Amino acid sequence: MYPSRFRYEAPRSLDEALALLRQSGDEAKVLAGGQSLVPLLKLRFASPDLLVDINGVPGLDHHHEDPDGTLHVGALCRHATLERSALLASKHPLMASAAPLIADPIVRNRGTLVGSLCHSDPQGDWASVLLALGGHVVAQGPSGRRTIPAADFSVGPFQNALQPDEIAVEAVVPPPVGARSGRYLKLERRVGDFATAGVAVALETSGGRVLRAGIGLTGVGPSTIQAVAAEQALTGRLLDTDAIEEAATLAAEAAQPRSDHRGSAAYKRHVVATFVRRGLARREAVAA
């Protein structure tokens, strides 16, 4: 199929892009990588009156770390950039493990982390990663900038918390409070497929004791799931066999899978528990 007719604009500044959104309201769509949006346009699942291409807007392709360890990832930073990032490889093990698992090389060369978050696909990988890390999205609109916690950003399948006249300009990961470790595990039928189930595990530890734990679940519910009870079961404890097993059980209970052609609900819960065990038992730590 071909997309329905739309007007195309390629602003050269963020202010210009925001002005276009204000004029068109909820009849406009923002294009960054386009790896999710373009297929929707072709199938006419999305039929905007206006497409605002922000690829010409400067200052949005960054990923950098503040002196305190806060990580910023701009709206135009590609998956492939993060996959090759020395910063992520040295200091952000969960993100470094997730980046090569995003779709396939073609998608990774054009798609963006922030665009994936905005798409709010329940099977999207980055949403569970940012959720596990306790991150947030920075949105800019007519009233300036505001931060939206990752836990509040997706409000339903393919729905986010942005207002029609806002643009998500970056994702932010807060600094660690201890030695950071983490891993993303994903079950897919073939390379590049959506996740049958995925688990993002993030830990911050000191002296073998967990100071902060984050567990995000992909593809096992109507939206990305934060396994809060499992996180609480780990916090303040030594990461021993009993703690790992309790967290795995609680994470599986938090999942809300449905049986489909990818597997039964029971099977998906089993995968979640197995991935939590693996993510906690085998982790690569970096110093705070």
Side-chain angles (χ1 to χ4, degrees):
M1 293 181 65
Y2 292 97
S4 56
R5 295 176 64 87
F6 58 84
R7 184 163 60 95
Y8 172 84
E9 296 285 352
R12 308 302 293 182
S13 71
L14 192 55
D15 287 342
E16 185 183 348
L18 292 170
L20 288 167
L21 293 183
R22 283 197 300 272
Q23 295 166 12
S24 299
D26 58 6
E27 298 302 318
K29 289 286 186 182
V30 174
L31 174 70
Q35 299 305 292
S36 298
L37 178 58
V38 170
L40 293 181
L41 293 173
K42 291 180 67 177
L43 294 170
R44 300 200 177 190
F45 290 155
S47 299
D49 291 341
L50 171 66
L51 197 62
V52 180
D53 184 346
I54 63 170
N55 279 277
V57 175
L60 297 180
D61 60 351
H62 61 275
H63 79 288
H64 62 79
E65 196 174 71
D66 291 339
D68 69 353
T70 301
L71 176 69
H72 301 261
V73 180
L76 293 178
C77 183
R78 313 296 173 182
H79 304 304
T81 300
L82 298 176
E83 182 181 7
R84 297 188 293 263
S85 168
L87 173 60
L88 264 58
S90 62
K91 293 189 176 183
H92 298 271
L94 171 54
M95 296 185 70
S97 71
L101 301 181
I102 306 300
D104 55 46
I106 295 175
V107 170
R108 292 199 294 273
N109 280 331
R110 290 299 304 167
T112 65
L113 180 151
V114 174
S116 176
L117 297 174
C118 291
H119 187 50
S120 290
D121 189 332
Q123 293 177 301
D125 302 295
W126 282 124
S128 62
V129 170
L130 193 67
L131 189 62
L133 291 167
H136 63 266
V137 174
V138 178
Q140 184 157 335
S143 302
R145 293 195 171 194
R146 67 181 179 115
T147 61
I148 308 170
D152 301 327
F153 188 70
S154 178
V155 297
F158 305 102
Q159 295 176 297
N160 63 52
L162 293 172
Q163 296 299 316
D165 56 358
E166 288 184 319
I167 293 176
V169 294
E170 67 175 6
V172 179
V173 176
V177 295
R180 173 176 276 159
S181 62
R183 192 178 177 200
Y184 184 66
L185 299 103
K186 176 180 179 179
L187 177 64
E188 51 192 348
R189 295 179 300 172
R190 60 184 181 276
V191 174
D193 194 9
F194 290 105
T196 298
V199 173
V201 175
L203 290 176
E204 294 166 27
T205 59
S206 179
R209 194 171 297 276
V210 178
L211 302 179
R212 181 191 175 278
I215 299 177
L217 310 181
T218 300
V220 288
S223 60
T224 304
I225 295 171
Q226 183 175 8
V228 177
E231 296 172 346
Q232 293 173 344
L234 292 168
T235 304
R237 296 175 64 178
L238 294 173
L239 199 61
D240 56 22
T241 302
D242 289 343
I244 291 174
E245 189 58 35
E246 183 178 353
T249 299
L250 290 170
E253 292 175 356
Q256 303 169 27
R258 299 181 64 179
S259 298
D260 56 20
H261 63 286
R262 296 173 184 267
S264 68
Y267 170 67
K268 294 176 184 178
R269 288 185 189 276
H270 174 74
V271 171
V272 168
T274 300
F275 280 175
V276 170
R277 291 188 194 100
R278 291 179 183 176
L280 293 172
R282 179 186 167 193
R283 60 198 191 281
E284 306 211 354
V286 294

